Structure formats: structure tokens, C-alpha cells
Amino acid sequence: MTSAASNTAATESLLRFDTVSLNFDETVALDSVSFEMCAGETRVVLGAAGSGKTTLLKIAIGLIRPDSGRVYLFDQEITGLKEAQLFDIRSKVGVLFQEGGLFDSITIAENVAYPLLNSRTHAVPLDEVEPKVREALRFVELEQTMEQFPAELSGGMRRRVGIARAVVSEPPLVLYDSPTAGLDPITATTIMALIAKERDSQDIANLIVTQRYQDGQLMANFRYNRTSGHLEPASSNGGAAGHGSDPARTVFMVMKEGRVVFEGTQHELEASQDAYIQKFVPKYS
Amino acid sequence: MEGLLDFLKPPVAGLQDFYILSGRALRNLFRGPHYADDIFIQMDAIGVGSLWIVILTGFFSGVVITMQMSRALAQYGATGQVGQIVAITLVRELGPVLTALLVAGRNASGIASELGSMKVTEQIDAMRALGTDPIQKLVTPRMIATCVMLPLLTIVADFVGLLGGYVIAYFSIGLPSSQYWTNAYQALQYNDIVQGLLKPFVFAFIISLVGCFYGLRTSGGTQGVGLATTKAVVVSSIWVFVVTSMLTRIFVNLN
Ligand SMILES: Nc1ncnc2c1ncn2[C@@H]1O[C@H](COP(=O)(O)OP(=O)(O)OP(=O)(O)O)[C@@H](O)[C@H]1O
Ligand SMILES: [Mg+2]
């Protein structure tokens, strides 16, 4: 499992939580959460509704400030930074929000162009914006919707536009908040396949928050094959396609009432005897 | 004592948050980037959008004041002075307050529901995640637009109100045109004009910032948006009355 590639990649820390806690009035949203995420890693965060998944993701990019603890993004502590200082570092992270977060007053194309046009660190030349937007939308197979508005699309299509916007600036880290919530099983699988495809074509690190175990299973066991252009079971092509395709690089994390109650591989997750954790793992798998 | 402190904590914390928002919105006037397009869109929504209702309300206030006052003045045989009363009540008080209340009803609610929907669909978070300051992009343009449009709308309301008064004075009471207009014109002093324009300017800050404030702190889904909208209208209307009383008190003493 430990190829040379994954060893060198593991040294680079992308996101680190150090005993982070947050309360909303009486509610405990996060309770001493600590973990570290490294380059090339896919981290799947499972947990019941209200267990603090969205809160964790928003704290990771400084949208919410924790009550205590420290957060490091790309090895830089962000806990004490001012909003203006956060803008630079956030532009290296793509985010898909649970509620979509698409701007409904502008078109799909303008939405996807937004990260390119508003980045303060790496301004993209104007003539490169259009092709990049087109490419990102083609990736999620929605090139034809460029001039439409978010309200005119279906829920699944909006989710795909959200993915296009999250990845258009090719950030090294992408956070997905419940990408399959509220979708039918077929659309959900399509969305996860897109996320896996994006991960394996760019070697991007992903943090995926979800309530569905199948989403994590797909990320852990399937790889996008760049040559064939298909999603394939990971075992069939071994570790040959780069460090992003090492199954050990998918880490599962389970949250319960603001605490991390499990962190480990899919194997360890399935072997767990804890009643709460077992609820996330379908028996037949 | 403990109980009292707990009771006071939310309103005090809320007021503090409101000051912080207002401070940031004002500071952004002097810092880039400026979103001119958004300012014009808001000016259109607030100014042009409210024009007809302001004209209608202004006209009928003038009509009603003239009808009521001419009856009262008749007791002193001073019906001829009605222009003076209409001018002073409209320019000093009713023009600014009525216009502000209309705009609070139309636009504080509109602003709160728009920003509230953006909040619950995480568009505000997305904006921050993508390097845009929501206060700069959403609050400051609305504040500027309201501060420009509300005084203009008030001038329109004042003028149309005087016109409404004139229609009654001329057709119903039978005053000569020149008497009504000269009387109205001469009644107005520098002080009245200043207070008649300062008030809408101050109200504009209240309406836009209260609307933005409740919009941005919306929580709890679509239900929360409705709640934020109602609060924005109620609170901004109350503040319009409180502030107009304070300002009137200051200006009355100045004379
Ligand atoms: N803005 C807020 N104000 C008050 N409480 C909040 C706020 N945001 C979250 N909470 C509370 O914090 C806890 C964690 O919420 P969070 O949104 O992180 O859950 P989640 O795991 O994302 O749930 P879901 O799967 O339903 O999206 C919940 O109890 C929630 O009620
Ligand atoms: Mg959530």
C-alpha cells in the first residue's frame, strides 16, 4: 500500500484541526475535533443530521470562527486571520455548498466564471475565462445551459453547476457538502462519479461530507481511468494511475453530536462494533 | 440580577452587531472595490419602483390636510392661510415620514427577504468563499441607493402634496392660485428645508441598514426569511418615528 508516491505526498498537510470546539448558544456544534488531511487524500465525513458536518466544513475555510482550538489550511494558521487575509487562502479551496450557494441573479456561465473573475491572488486573463468556463461546464455535461439562470435548472443540474464552479479554478483542495443529499439514487451516483473523475484527472484532495455510505464506498473503490475514460473498480488497475488512486488514501471519519467518533479506513469502518457507526454501514455490503 | 442580564443580553448583542454592520458599510464607502452596477440596480428598485405609490400618497395627504385645515382655519376666518399650513406640515414632517414609511414597507422588506434568501441558500457563504465581501457587494450599494433616492422621493412627495392641497384650495375652497402658492412659498424657511431633507437622509440609513441587518442574520430556512422580512419592516418603521421625534425636537428648539 505504501508506494513511494504516496509517501512523499503524505508529508504535505492541507488541512489540520487542533481541538476545535464551537457552540451555538446551548447547542454543541463541534466538540474538540482534531484531524489532519494530507495531499492526495480523499476524506469522507459521515454523520447524522445535526452532527456538525457543515459546521466543520465552514470552519475549515474560516466562514465561521471556532470558540477554541486552531485550524491550519495549507500549513498556515487561519484561526486569527482577518477576513481580507482569508480571501487569498480561500481562493485555493473549492467548495460545493449543501444548499447550492449558486448566485440566482446571474447566469450559469457567470456563476462558473465568478471564481476566475474575483480571485485576488491569481487573476485569470479575460480571454481565458470563457474557454475555462466552457470546459468546466462540459465536464459536468451542462455546456448547453450557459445562458440559463439557476432557477431554471433541476436540483441535480444545479448540484453539477456547483461542482463546476468549485473546480473551475483547479484548486488543490475541494470541499463537498452533502453532494448527493435530496437526489434520486441514479443522479446521486452520477454526481459521485463526477467527483471521482475530477479527483483522478487532477489529483485533487477531497473532503466529502455525506450521510450516504455508498458515496464514500464509491470514492474509496472506484478510479477514473484517464486512458479509457471510464470509472473502474480500483483493484483492477492497482496503484498504477498515480498516488490519487491508492485505496488507502481514502479516510473515513464519522461524527456524532459534534465529536469525531471514528477515523480510519473502509475496512476498519466495516469492522467496527459501535452501534452508531454500524448504522452507516449497510449490512449487505 | 442574573435574570435581568440574561434578559438584556440578546438586544444588547443585537445592537452591537448592528453597529458593526453599519460601521463596515460606511467604511466601504472609502474603499474599493465599488459595485456601481449594483448601486444603479438598487436605485431603480427603490426610487423608480416606489415613485407611483409615493406620488399617490403624497397627493392625497395634501388633499386631506387642506380639507381638514381649511375647516379649522375657517373658525378664525383664516382660510386664506391654508397654503402655509400644508407647506409646513408636509415639508417638515409628513413628506419625510410618509415617504420613509412607504419605502420601509416596500424596500426594507424587499432587502431583508432578498438577503435572507441568499443567506439560507448559502449564497452569502459562497460569496465570502469566493473572495467577495458581502457587505461591500450587497449592503453598501443598497445604503447608497437608498440615501440618494429617499430624499428625492421626499421632494416629489412634498411637491405633489402641495399640488393636492392646491387642487382643494382652488376648486373646493375657491382661493386664488397666487394666494395659495405665495402663502406656501413664504411659509418655508431655510430651517424647514434643511430638516425636510436631513430627515429622509437619516431615514435612508435606518431603512437600508435595518433591512440588510435582518436579512443577513436570517436563519432557519424559508420560515426565517418571512420572519426577517416582518422584523425589518416593524423595526425600521419604529425607528423612523423615534428619530423623527428626536430630530423635530432639535429643530424646533433651534428656531
Ligand atoms: N447558525 C446556526 N445557529 C445556531 N445553531 C446552528 C447554526 N448552524 C448550525 N447549528 C446547529 O449546530 C449543529 C450542527 O449543525 P450542522 O449544520 O453542522 O449539522 P450537519 O451535520 O451539517 O447536518 P445535516 O446533515 O443536516 O446537514 C446542529 O445542532 C445545528 O442545529
Ligand atoms: Mg449540513
Side-chain angles (χ1 to χ4, degrees), chain B residues 66-150:
Chain B
T66 313
M67 292 200 282
Q68 298 283 11
M69 284 305 151
S70 62
R71 218 181 116 222
L73 287 172
Q75 296 181 353
Y76 309 98
T79 321
Q81 304 296 311
V82 77
Q84 183 177 346
I85 300 221
V86 177
I88 288 179
T89 21
L90 267 182
V91 172
R92 276 198 194 163
E93 208 65 66
L94 278 184
V97 170
L98 281 179
T99 314
L101 290 178
L102 288 173
V103 172
R106 257 192 106 253
N107 298 104
S109 58
I111 291 172
S113 65
E114 191 181 356
L115 269 54
S117 321
M118 294 183 75
K119 178 75 193 298
V120 299
T121 55
E122 292 180 317
Q123 291 179 54
I124 307 277
D125 282 322
M127 221 172 239
R128 289 174 62 203
L130 294 173
T132 304
D133 175 6
I135 298 181
Q136 183 95 53
K137 172 89 178 159
L138 300 172
V139 179
T140 306
R142 281 167 177 75
M143 186 182 76
I144 296 175
T146 317
C147 284
V148 173
M149 296 320 278
L150 193 55

Side-chain angles (χ1 to χ4, degrees), chain B residues 5-16:
Chain B
L5 278 181
D6 281 349
F7 181 70
L8 282 177
K9 215 169 125 192
V12 171
L15 201 62
Q16 191 183 9

Side-chain angles (χ1 to χ4, degrees), chain A residues 205-255:
Chain A
N206 286 322
L207 180 82
I208 302 167
V209 160
T210 180
Q211 293 181 356
R212 278 183 10 132
Y213 177 67
Q214 299 94 299
D215 297 349
Q217 213 181 15
L218 188 145
M219 292 306 287
N221 301 307
F222 286 84
R223 298 288 164 264
Y224 174 72
N225 188 321
R226 289 180 218 188
T227 34
S228 75
H230 290 293
L231 221 54
E232 298 171 347
S235 47
S236 73
N237 66 348
H243 65 258
S245 57
D246 183 345
R249 310 288 300 149
T250 302
V251 180
F252 286 79
M253 200 159 103
V254 180
M255 299 201 56

Side-chain angles (χ1 to χ4, degrees), chain A residues 122-139:
Chain A
H122 39 274
V124 178
L126 270 181
D127 55 325
E128 284 178 27
V129 171
E130 222 265 2
K132 276 185 193 254
V133 168
R134 200 169 278 282
E135 189 198 320
L137 281 170
R138 190 180 308 131
F139 179 80

Side-chain angles (χ1 to χ4, degrees), chain A residues 21-41:
Chain A
S21 298
L22 176 72
N23 289 12
F24 289 110
D25 300 321
E26 316 292 64
T27 346
V28 180
L30 287 188
D31 184 4
S32 319
V33 170
S34 298
F35 68 90
E36 179 165 18
M37 205 182 147
C38 296
E41 179 178 318

Side-chain angles (χ1 to χ4, degrees), chain A residues 22-25 27-30 47-58 64 98-99 177-178 209-211 255 258, chain B residues 119 218-219:
Chain A
L22 176 72
N23 289 12
F24 289 110
D25 300 321
T27 346
V28 180
L30 287 188
S51 56
K53 306 182 299 292
T54 298
T55 309
L56 177 136
L57 191 137
K58 287 187 181 171
I64 307 178
Q98 183 167 11
E99 305 295 337
D177 192 353
S178 315
V209 160
T210 180
Q211 293 181 356
M255 299 201 56
Chain B
K119 178 75 193 298
T218 304
S219 65

